[in-house]
Amino acid sequence: QVQLVESGGGLVQAGGSLRLSCAASGSRFSINTMGWYRQAPGKQRVLVAQITSGGSTNYADSVKGRFTISRDNAKNTVYLSMNSLKPEDTAVYYCGYCSGYGCYQRDMDYWGKGTLVTVSS
């Protein structure tokens, strides 16, 4: 059982920055994918960014050039640095974990409870 705990959400003005963290405990798989997904009010949860344990990354087009995903494998922690935030980035951000590579949202084995990011205009 892998537990994921997100932190770092909050209220920020448009153009500002936030850094989200997701700490994973109980992970037994050296090969895995961790990712950030977000769900805006009334919308489906969608991919923001993913990173494998090997360091390969994948970003949604809407955040490319503004968000950066990174991870510290020694700490089993993944980060999402968000810059130039826009009101449309407002959502609950969820951390997901998949024991493998090439994972889609449906493949994520574990989820955190989410952290709210609100960007005011």
Side-chain angles (χ1 to χ4, degrees), residues 2-3 11 13 20 22 26 38 55 57 71 76 84 86-87 91 95 102 114 119 121:
V2 176
Q3 293 184 331
L11 174 64
Q13 288 188 332
L20 306 183
C22 173
R38 68 186 181 188
T57 58
R71 64 186 290 166
N76 284 329
S84 302
K86 304 175 181 180
C95 177
V119 184
S121 57

Side-chain angles (χ1 to χ4, degrees), residues 1-48:
Q1 186 78 7
V2 176
Q3 293 184 331
L4 304 172
V5 178
E6 302 105 333
S7 61
L11 174 64
V12 64
Q13 288 188 332
S17 300
L18 280 176
R19 188 192 194 206
L20 306 183
S21 299
C22 173
S25 60
S27 173
R28 300 181 179 179
F29 302 99
S30 59
I31 297 176
N32 58 71
T33 299
M34 294 183 71
W36 288 97
Y37 292 77
R38 68 186 181 188
Q39 186 168 20
K43 296 186 178 181
Q44 292 185 334
R45 185 163 57 186
V46 297
L47 170 72
V48 176

Side-chain angles (χ1 to χ4, degrees), residues 17-94:
S17 300
L18 280 176
R19 188 192 194 206
L20 306 183
S21 299
C22 173
S25 60
S27 173
R28 300 181 179 179
F29 302 99
S30 59
I31 297 176
N32 58 71
T33 299
M34 294 183 71
W36 288 97
Y37 292 77
R38 68 186 181 188
Q39 186 168 20
K43 296 186 178 181
Q44 292 185 334
R45 185 163 57 186
V46 297
L47 170 72
V48 176
Q50 282 186 332
I51 186 167
T52 69
S53 49
S56 296
T57 58
N58 180 38
Y59 293 91
D61 288 342
S62 59
V63 305
K64 284 181 180 177
R66 300 188 298 123
F67 291 10
T68 302
I69 190 169
S70 60
R71 64 186 290 166
D72 184 333
N73 288 334
K75 295 181 179 180
N76 284 329
T77 300
V78 64
Y79 306 96
L80 185 69
S81 296
M82 305 184 293
N83 298 315
S84 302
L85 282 161
K86 304 175 181 180
E88 51 263 44
D89 294 317
T90 295
V92 177
Y93 284 70
Y94 295 92

Side-chain angles (χ1 to χ4, degrees), residues 92-104:
V92 177
Y93 284 70
Y94 295 92
C95 177
Y97 176 101
C98 171
S99 55
Y101 285 170
C103 300
Y104 292 96

